[in-house]
Every structure is written in C-alpha cells, then in structure tokens.
Amino acid sequence: MLINRALCQSWLTQVTYRFHIGNGATRFQACHQSFYVQRCGSGQPVRHFHAQKARWSSIKSPVITPAGDSGGHVPMSNVIKAIAFTGAFSLGCFAGATIVEYENTRSMILSKAKQARFGWMQSRSLVDRDSWSQLKNDIKRFWDSLSPGDKTFAPLLVCNLLAFGLWRVPSMRNMMMTYFTSNPAARIVCWPMFLSTFSHYSVMHIFANMYVLHSFSNAAVLSMGKEQFMAVYLSAGVFSSLMSVLYKAGTRQPGMSLGASGAIMTVLAYVCAQYPDTQLSILFLPTVTFSAGAAIKVIMGIDFAGCVMGWKFFDHAAHLGGALFGIFWANYGAQVWAKRISLLNYYHELRRTKQK
C-alpha cells in the first residue's frame, strides 16, 4: 500500500485577546505561530501551543474574562485533577465502548433474525413507498456503502467542524477559550483536556488534522473495530492532553493548547507499529519511499527533540504522548481489550434480569 504525504509550512495570523480584571486592564495575546506539517497518509498532525507575549496585534476581539493566569506557575491541585480525570475518563470510554459493542451486536443479530422471518413482507411493501421513504432508503444505502473507517471518521469530522464554527461566533469566544483550550494554569482543567481535542482555530489546522485522520482511520478501524477505535481515540486525546499538562507544569511554561493531533498521533503510531513495512512516499516526490516504521521513529524523534529543546512550533509533548499511547496499544491493546469480557458478562446478566 502506497500512501502519499505532503509537507506544508505556514504561519498563522496572530490572534489577540484583551482581558479586563477589576479596575485595571491586563493584556493577553495568544499567538497562533505554528509550523504545519500536512501529510497524506503518513503525516504528523498539528496541535497548537500558544505562548503569551506582551506585544499587541492589530486584531482585536471582544472583552472576555481570562480562564486563569498564574504567572507561569501550575498549581499542583490542577495536576492531580488532570491525572484523576484522565484515568476516570479512559475507564469510562472503554466501559462505554464495551456496552455499545454489546448493544450493536445484539441489534445486528435481532435485525438479521427479523429479516429472515419477515423479509417477504418487507419486499411487498416496497411498492408503496413515498418520496420521503425513498430518500431515507437512499441515504441508508449511501451510508452502508461507506467503509468502516469512513463511518467512524464522519462523526469525528462533524464534531470538529462544529467546534471550528463556534470559534467564528464572537459571543462564543469566552466559552471557547474556557472549555475548548487546554491550559494547566486555568481554573477549569479537566473537561478542556477532552474538548480541546475537537478544537481548531484556523482552516489549515483543521484541514491538516482531518486529512491525516481520514488517511489512517480506515486501517485502524479495520484492525480494532469501531467501538475499540473510538475508545482508544477519545482516551488518547485526553492522555495526550495530560502529557502536555505534565510537561508544562514541569517546565513552568503554562499556555493554551488545542487540536486533535494528540489523538491522531495515536492512530498514526498504531498503524505504523502494526504495519511497519508499509511503504510511504512524499506526495511531490513519489520516487522517494520509506517504511512506516521509519517514519514514526523520525516523527517521534522530532517531537522528543522539541520537548528537550523547548521548541514552541507546536505541542510536542502532546504529540509524543499520543504516539507512545498508539505504540503501547499496538503491542498490548489486545490483552487490555480482552479484559472487557467480565464487564460484558456482567452487563449481559444485568440486561437479562431487567427483561424478566
């Protein structure tokens, strides 16, 4: 399988936010200075890291209240909250995926049984369709024609597009800054770790991340199944945010981060670890090929160097954390996922008891 990739470098326009506290005024600027790497199939997704600067930009936004400002110090209570939230959220994701898997399997079996028993009645009713029923059936046929990866990618794309649209609403800017950017020094720490993984401010940012996710989602979903994939993706997003929180707390450099690239790095690393011999090539240099295993090593090496040297191109700690999560799941995910059997049996007994 040959997957092309393209490198694209871009600097975003700076976005400035003005904060007023009490009788005085505090100026805060979030700079979207990001180096974008866009790849078709083997790309490194982008998660923004926003550093504070004192210089004003010509772009102004409505006056909003800051989510938190601790002057470079990250409260230990915020770190503890982040760790606890990551553990609880991940357990909830995998428990929920287990229940959804059970319900989907049960629904599929009942549907097949019903179709086998009453299929002749359904075929006779096809003659009396109206236009609305025809439209619904056409949509259903289109949905059924999609690959498992596309079916899983579609709702993720919709969620990211909705968050992207909310950034364009001036009255929603305060809410987006508070809940859709992850900042370990903010008053609200937990839920932004999750919601920020659906948050993109620029067109290039969301395009690059969704492009890479779509390129790898089908292989990952076929390997894991849609329920396991969603549990891994959502958990990886929060885990990568936790790695970012720990890094910022350790280096005393708090700042806002947003973007899906931590979770996408997990998908990328998982596929590269599962299929290391897959040959990749640069989009505009198709004759230059390299293995997926080598590609993920280079990407992780760049992010590791970024963490050590304190680069601010993007959130290297979140990228590295996501990649480590993906490699872990490629090697030990089957054993971890198998432990859901006890929960499946318990839920089955609970459901059967309620039906009596």
Side-chain angles (χ1 to χ4, degrees), residues 33-37 44-50 180-183 192-200 205 209 236-238 240-245 248 255-265 303 312-319:
Q33 294 181 337
S34 302
F35 173 73
Y36 282 93
V37 182
Q44 181 178 5
V46 180
R47 182 177 175 92
H48 286 275
F49 178 81
H50 306 264
F180 283 80
T181 61
S182 178
N183 185 357
M193 294 173 61
F194 167 63
L195 295 176
S196 65
T197 61
F198 295 95
S199 180
H200 301 82
H205 191 194
N209 278 352
V238 175
S240 63
S241 294
L242 174 64
M243 294 299 101
S244 177
V245 167
K248 292 172 186 176
M256 296 183 300
S257 296
L258 72 165
S261 58
I264 298 173
M265 278 295 294
D303 284 321
K312 297 296 187 298
F313 293 127
F314 33 70
D315 198 336
H316 296 281
H319 287 189

Side-chain angles (χ1 to χ4, degrees), residues 24-40:
T26 302
R27 292 177 177 179
F28 174 91
Q29 182 178 25
C31 299
H32 286 258
Q33 294 181 337
S34 302
F35 173 73
Y36 282 93
V37 182
Q38 173 197 344
R39 297 177 176 90
C40 174

Side-chain angles (χ1 to χ4, degrees), residues 40-97:
C40 174
S42 66
Q44 181 178 5
V46 180
R47 182 177 175 92
H48 286 275
F49 178 81
H50 306 264
Q52 299 183 9
K53 292 189 177 181
R55 185 170 55 84
W56 276 89
S57 168
S58 60
I59 302 176
K60 303 293 182 180
S61 67
V63 177
I64 53 180
T65 305
D69 183 9
S70 57
H73 173 68
V74 178
M76 182 56 63
S77 60
N78 283 6
V79 176
I80 296 174
K81 289 178 183 178
I83 296 174
F85 178 77
T86 301
F89 185 86
S90 299
L91 287 175
C93 284
F94 284 100

Side-chain angles (χ1 to χ4, degrees), residues 205-277:
H205 191 194
I206 188 172
F207 173 78
N209 278 352
M210 293 301 100
Y211 193 66
V212 175
L213 176 59
H214 180 264
S215 300
F216 282 93
S217 59
N218 195 54
V221 171
L222 289 175
S223 178
M224 290 187 279
K226 60 182 180 181
E227 295 87 3
Q228 183 183 168
F229 173 86
M230 288 302 298
V232 169
Y233 181 87
L234 297 177
S235 300
V238 175
F239 179 80
S240 63
S241 294
L242 174 64
M243 294 299 101
S244 177
V245 167
L246 295 177
Y247 175 79
K248 292 172 186 176
T251 58
R252 293 182 177 273
Q253 294 180 343
M256 296 183 300
S257 296
L258 72 165
S261 58
I264 298 173
M265 278 295 294
T266 295
V267 178
L268 171 64
Y270 174 85
V271 174
C272 290
Q274 286 286 88
Y275 312 103
D277 296 326

Side-chain angles (χ1 to χ4, degrees), residues 131-162:
S131 57
W132 176 245
S133 299
Q134 182 68 36
L135 178 60
K136 289 193 297 184
N137 288 325
D138 290 342
I139 295 175
K140 185 178 184 301
R141 277 197 299 270
F142 171 75
W143 180 258
D144 293 339
S145 67
L146 297 178
S147 66
D150 288 338
K151 291 180 180 178
T152 308
F153 169 75
L156 293 175
L157 175 63
V158 170
C159 291
N160 281 273
L161 289 175
L162 287 175

Side-chain angles (χ1 to χ4, degrees), residues 102 106 345-356:
Y102 176 91
R106 181 177 181 274
N345 293 333
Y346 173 79
Y347 182 77
H348 175 71
E349 293 297 328
L350 182 64
R351 207 178 192 288
R352 188 172 62 176
T353 303
K354 287 186 176 182
Q355 288 178 344
K356 290 181 180 179

